[in-house]
Amino acid sequence: AQSVTQPDIHITVSEGASLELRCNYSYGATPYLFWYVQSPGQGLQLLLKYFSGDTLVQGIKGFEAEFKRSQSSFNLRKPSVHWSDAAEYFCAVAHNYGQNFVFGPGTRLSVLP
Amino acid sequence: GAGVSQTPSNKVTEKGKYVELRCDPISGHTALYWYRQSLGQGPEFLIYFQGTGAADDSGLPNDRFFAVRPEGSVSTLKIQRTERGDSAVYLCASSPGASGALDTQYFGPGTRLTVL
């Protein structure tokens, strides 16, 4: 069965600092990979997704993620964090033929002024 | 344009009661998903509709849970004989349906269900 782990439950960074959120998945083949953000009082929003090709994908709000097959990882990065980035971030995986999405437990990001 | 809406926003019920949760997807979206999100967890897939049919209901935890989408738009998640463990936020998402799993899912604000 597919699984997604996000090792960091909570991360705190200062505004303007760089950010990396970790995601590891367990799946037999290359899955479809996603990062979502959930801000307080708002619905989940897709940041970016990967399915093939260039392993570095760009998303909205200045985020990017890199797929590393050898490490089964899909880490999310941002070079300079803004206070508005404080939210919960979820990594998700899906089969390349199915619609059963599996989400990780999430990483809560706090941003210090 | 209008996003995904869910009603009610909050539902409090007693153990053993029946509840219905409604999802209005974005107009024209053929794919619709239900998820359940418990406190401190990521969303847990429940069921996926393509049009009127449930294409994947492998996430429904047991036969107390059922979902319908009779006209291919609005969907209702039905929970019979509710248990305290059913307390969670129930999320609905829709997508255009043309690109399968690669379609962007648009999530609603959720219905918070509390079973006393």
Side-chain angles (χ1 to χ4, degrees):
Chain A
Q2 300 173 97
S3 67
V4 178
T5 56
Q6 294 181 247
D8 305 302
I9 297 173
H10 183 206
I11 284 182
T12 301
V13 299
S14 297
E15 190 168 20
S18 64
L19 171 70
E20 183 168 30
L21 302 182
R22 296 183 290 165
C23 171
N24 293 95
Y25 66 91
S26 173
Y27 184 57
T30 301
Y32 293 165
L33 296 159
F34 307 81
W35 275 99
Y36 283 85
V37 61
Q38 188 173 38
S39 300
Q42 298 189 22
L44 280 153
Q45 182 182 24
L46 179 68
L47 288 175
L48 48 77
K49 58 189 172 186
Y50 171 82
F51 62 101
S52 69
D54 193 347
T55 56
L56 185 64
V57 293
Q58 303 296 320
I60 62 171
K61 304 185 180 187
F63 286 93
E64 66 178 27
E66 185 172 14
F67 169 61
K68 292 187 177 180
R69 184 190 306 274
S70 62
Q71 298 177 19
S72 297
S73 68
F74 188 57
N75 294 349
L76 182 72
R77 301 194 293 246
K78 186 168 185 178
S80 177
V81 169
H82 188 262
W83 64 266
S84 61
D85 293 324
E88 190 89 20
Y89 290 81
F90 295 96
C91 182
V93 61
H95 288 291
N96 59 7
Y97 56 85
Q99 307 292 84
N100 185 332
F101 282 73
V102 176
F103 282 78
T107 296
R108 184 161 63 93
L109 174 66
S110 297
V111 180
L112 299 175
Chain B
V4 177
S5 63
Q6 293 185 245
T7 54
S9 56
N10 280 284
K11 176 70 177 178
V12 180
T13 190
E14 294 179 344
K15 180 176 179 294
K17 299 290 188 181
Y18 168 83
V19 297
E20 290 189 351
L21 311 179
R22 176 187 169 107
C23 172
D24 282 83
I26 293 172
S27 177
H29 280 190
T30 61
L32 186 145
Y33 303 77
W34 282 100
Y35 295 88
R36 176 170 67 175
Q37 187 173 22
S38 300
L39 193 63
Q41 301 294 318
E44 173 192 9
F45 171 83
L46 296 177
I47 188 170
Y48 155 66
F49 287 90
Q50 180 59 255
T52 60
D56 186 344
D57 64 357
S58 62
L60 294 177
N62 51 59
D63 61 6
R64 295 187 298 105
F65 289 75
F66 190 70
V68 295
R69 195 185 184 199
E71 299 179 356
S73 56
V74 171
S75 176
T76 304
L77 178 66
K78 308 180 181 192
I79 310 174
Q80 298 177 324
R81 306 183 302 281
T82 52
E83 299 177 356
R84 292 193 180 87
D86 299 334
S87 296
V89 176
Y90 289 80
L91 300 171
C92 176
S94 70
S95 69
S99 301
L102 284 181
D103 272 340
T104 296
Q105 293 184 46
Y106 296 87
F107 282 80
T111 293
R112 182 176 298 279
L113 175 66
T114 303
V115 182
L116 301 177

